[in-house]
Amino acid sequence: MRLRHIEIIHAIMASGSISGAARRLNVSQPNISRVLAHAEQQLGFALFDRRPSGLQPTSRAQRMMPEIDQLYLQLQRIDQLAQRLRAPKQLRIGAAHAIGQSLMAQVLLDYRRLAEPLPADVELVTGHHDTLCQDLLADRLDLALTFGQSLNSCAE
């Protein structure tokens, strides 16, 4: 299956019809029908039953949906990351409590006063090493400052 097939299947499942999928993806209905037919041809089985009430997913399509949903969510995360990389609107900094309260707050205030305006809003979050590592790995922080090293490394 190609990525476009997955996108079409997801749109049809979400909207329940070819016309709804076409509106959702801003393409023509014949384009949706053509890509769906191609996907079904490559798979060797039908994904939807055509009924007067609309398209009904087959049992095989329903079995594929959890994986398609998971992939679609990952695609959305990639798109969000690309948008943040293109024009960051917020810089999320995590720091250990002591660093954040005694040092970082003053550094950020001094920087705003002395330097040109930042191209992004800065959010300072304080936390423990392990929490900051989890937030960094989950892309809830852009960078983190901590003391030393914990038994649980950020690389895990």
Side-chain angles (χ1 to χ4, degrees), residues 58-154:
T58 64
S59 61
R60 290 177 175 169
Q62 289 174 343
R63 287 179 53 198
M64 293 173 67
M65 275 315 290
E67 297 297 324
I68 289 173
D69 283 337
Q70 185 178 21
L71 179 61
Y72 203 77
L73 286 173
Q74 289 174 334
L75 289 172
Q76 288 176 331
R77 283 190 218 126
I78 292 169
D79 186 48
Q80 291 169 354
L81 176 60
Q83 288 177 8
R84 282 199 317 266
L85 293 173
R86 182 179 24 238
K89 296 183 185 327
Q90 186 175 36
L91 177 61
R92 300 160 304 173
I93 300 173
H97 292 293
I99 296 173
Q101 292 172 356
S102 65
L103 180 66
M104 283 305 298
Q106 189 60 48
V107 167
L108 290 173
L109 286 172
D110 291 345
Y111 183 79
R112 281 190 186 253
R113 187 171 32 86
L114 299 173
E116 292 184 26
L118 290 172
D121 290 333
V122 177
E123 177 185 357
L124 178 61
V125 176
T126 60
H128 296 287
H129 178 83
D130 293 338
T131 304
L132 293 171
C133 282
Q134 289 171 359
D135 287 347
L136 195 59
L137 291 171
D139 198 32
R140 291 186 290 263
L141 292 176
D142 296 308
L143 64 102
L145 306 167
T146 64
F147 291 112
Q149 189 175 11
S150 172
L151 295 176
N152 297 328
S153 174
C154 281

